[in-house]
Amino acid sequence: MVNLTGKTQLLGIIGAPVEHSLSPVMQNAAIRYLKEDYIYVPFRVAPQNLETAIAGLATIGVRGFNVTIPHKQAIIPLLSEVTPTAKLVGAVNTVWRTEIGWKGTNTDIDGFLSPLKPLSRDWTKITPIILGNGGAARAVVVGLAQLGCPQIWVLGRNQDKLEQFSQSWQNTDLADALKVYSWDKLSQLIRETTLLINTTPIGMYPKIDQSPIDPSLIEQLSSEAIVYDLIYNPHPTQLLQKAKQKGLMIIDGLEMLAKQGAIALEIWLEKPVPIEIMTKSLRNYLNLD
Ligand SMILES: NC(=O)c1ccc[n+]([C@@H]2O[C@H](COP(=O)([O-])OP(=O)(O)OC[C@H]3O[C@@H](n4cnc5c(N)ncnc54)[C@H](OP(=O)(O)O)[C@@H]3O)[C@@H](O)[C@H]2O)c1
């Protein structure tokens, strides 16, 4: 956004709460850099108002928007079209206008894969362990399958939710690849993985002293292992600090956050966008440097 005028176009994010979202920071940084006549605005939308809200966003000519908690699943039946990957994940985080109405996709998968794809690993020989079975874990499962991992192990603390998670993939191509385990199985499984991914919020600001796993378990990881924590604040988390001390490769959630946002902005603007500007704006905002 250079100057707000009558021609300025609207982008935004809907959620409840939406105050915590860092998307306005990075999206507006990229928009300013590109000198595009757009502005990206947070919209607090309560669950009961979702349908009215997206009809209203169409009426006022919003070009596209991101979707955050708690609307990522609920929005699917309200859209005219949903990409196959978003259907598979069961969640939409990016929406844009087409001639027939709103179309939705999920950019978290490519965001998650962004730091992994350049690595020269034989993913077909890796069985990743995912800690947690919430919304982000779903995008991670689809991403790992795209990468070529033949088996994916998901660990959760709540047996009922874990079963539901497992069931939700039953009629998909991922049914055979996915195995779910209770959290206490980690000590038996950890030696067999070289990719450990935390999708729980344990260790996230302000509870920065917490770690999803005991440091003694990190000692059991092979020296080849990568530890990937989706959390981006603090930077690094306790989990990543311990993994780094052991000399392991670590990946935090910042690149995923910037990349999923950059892909969304590319969809809306139909042109390449400066991801490094978006990452820099996040780092500045979070005082990470
Ligand atoms: N870097 C990025 O771009 C990016 C993108 C998405 C998410 N994230 C991060 O990923 C994390 C999860 O997000 P989400 O949307 O997936 O949340 P979510 O849907 O609430 O899922 C959280 C998962 O963590 C589990 N969990 C929470 N506390 C736990 C504990 N003390 N012990 C064991 N398991 C626990 C939950 O278990 P129950 O189901 O039993 O409650 C659930 O399976 C957040 O920190 C978020 O910031 C980062």
Side-chain angles (χ1 to χ4, degrees), residues 39 46 50-51 72 76 92 104-105 126 153 175 188 222 243 263 289:
I39 186 164
L50 180 61
E51 190 165 359
K72 285 185 173 188
I76 292 178
V92 157
T105 193
I126 293 178
W153 295 342
Q188 291 164 40
S222 108
I263 300 166
D289 294 314

Side-chain angles (χ1 to χ4, degrees), residues 92-194:
V92 157
N93 78 335
T94 301
V95 175
W96 67 101
R97 255 184 327 151
T98 68
E99 283 179 1
I100 59 161
W102 291 120
K103 180 168 180 176
T105 193
N106 191 309
T107 67
D108 279 336
I109 302 158
D110 287 329
F112 165 71
L113 289 177
S114 179
L116 293 177
K117 274 188 168 163
L119 305 177
S120 51
R121 303 273 168 141
D122 185 354
W123 302 108
T124 64
K125 296 208 167 65
I126 293 178
T127 302
I129 292 181
I130 303 174
L131 303 173
N133 52 277
R138 300 192 66 84
V140 169
V141 166
V142 174
L144 292 170
Q146 285 183 5
L147 212 49
C149 300
Q151 277 220 6
I152 299 161
W153 295 342
V154 176
L155 272 64
R157 61 175 172 177
N158 179 315
Q159 203 55 37
D160 288 344
K161 287 187 184 172
L162 207 48
E163 277 307 314
Q164 281 169 23
F165 186 86
S166 174
Q167 282 298 322
S168 70
W169 303 94
Q170 278 317 306
N171 296 322
T172 74
D173 294 345
L174 298 181
D176 291 339
L178 192 80
K179 300 264 180 301
V180 298
Y181 296 94
S182 58
W183 200 266
D184 55 12
K185 292 282 185 299
L186 182 60
S187 56
Q188 291 164 40
L189 301 174
I190 199 159
R191 282 189 207 91
E192 299 182 43
T193 194
T194 49

Side-chain angles (χ1 to χ4, degrees), residues 2-280:
V2 182
N3 278 313
L4 277 178
T5 71
K7 291 189 215 145
T8 304
Q9 298 210 55
L10 266 175
L11 299 169
I13 178 164
I14 60 168
V18 76
E19 295 81 355
H20 68 286
S21 173
L22 299 180
S23 294
V25 173
M26 64 174 167
Q27 296 292 3
N28 286 315
I31 288 166
R32 269 193 305 275
Y33 180 86
L34 291 168
K35 298 190 170 51
E36 290 285 342
D37 197 1
Y38 278 83
I39 186 164
Y40 183 101
V41 184
F43 299 109
R44 191 173 218 283
V45 174
Q48 66 273 22
N49 296 330
L50 180 61
E51 190 165 359
T52 326
I54 62 170
L57 293 175
T59 309
I60 61 172
V62 166
R63 182 74 179 265
F65 56 94
N66 284 128
V67 185
T68 188
I69 289 169
H71 305 312
K72 285 185 173 188
Q73 287 164 309
I75 199 167
I76 292 178
L78 305 174
L79 301 173
S80 305
E81 212 181 329
V82 174
T83 59
T85 33
K87 259 192 206 138
L88 189 58
V89 175
V92 157
N93 78 335
T94 301
V95 175
W96 67 101
R97 255 184 327 151
T98 68
E99 283 179 1
I100 59 161
W102 291 120
K103 180 168 180 176
T105 193
N106 191 309
T107 67
D108 279 336
I109 302 158
D110 287 329
F112 165 71
L113 289 177
S114 179
L116 293 177
K117 274 188 168 163
L119 305 177
S120 51
R121 303 273 168 141
D122 185 354
W123 302 108
T124 64
K125 296 208 167 65
I126 293 178
T127 302
I129 292 181
I130 303 174
L131 303 173
N133 52 277
R138 300 192 66 84
V140 169
V141 166
V142 174
L144 292 170
Q146 285 183 5
L147 212 49
C149 300
Q151 277 220 6
I152 299 161
W153 295 342
V154 176
L155 272 64
R157 61 175 172 177
N158 179 315
Q159 203 55 37
D160 288 344
K161 287 187 184 172
L162 207 48
E163 277 307 314
Q164 281 169 23
F165 186 86
S166 174
Q167 282 298 322
S168 70
W169 303 94
Q170 278 317 306
N171 296 322
T172 74
D173 294 345
L174 298 181
D176 291 339
L178 192 80
K179 300 264 180 301
V180 298
Y181 296 94
S182 58
W183 200 266
D184 55 12
K185 292 282 185 299
L186 182 60
S187 56
Q188 291 164 40
L189 301 174
I190 199 159
R191 282 189 207 91
E192 299 182 43
T193 194
T194 49
L195 178 56
L196 178 73
I197 303 149
N198 177 40
T199 73
T200 79
I202 309 168
M204 188 166 77
Y205 180 85
K207 296 181 178 168
I208 61 171
D209 294 333
Q210 296 184 354
S211 169
I213 70 173
D214 194 87
S216 63
L217 288 177
I218 295 181
E219 290 303 321
Q220 296 185 28
L221 280 165
S222 108
S223 59
E224 301 291 297
I226 302 168
V227 181
Y228 190 159
D229 197 337
L230 263 53
I231 296 171
Y232 44 81
N233 188 19
H235 184 269
T237 55
Q238 273 291 327
L239 173 68
L240 294 188
Q241 283 180 40
K242 295 282 179 247
K244 196 174 179 187
Q245 278 165 18
K246 187 179 150 62
L248 304 180
M249 172 181 275
I250 59 167
I251 302 173
D252 63 55
L254 204 68
E255 184 171 337
M256 174 175 176
L257 178 67
K259 183 71 178 179
Q260 60 78 29
I263 300 166
L265 190 59
E266 282 180 357
I267 291 173
W268 299 322
L269 300 184
E270 298 177 327
K271 59 154 71 169
V273 304
I275 187 167
E276 62 292 346
I277 298 293
M278 299 173 86
T279 309
K280 196 169 162 212

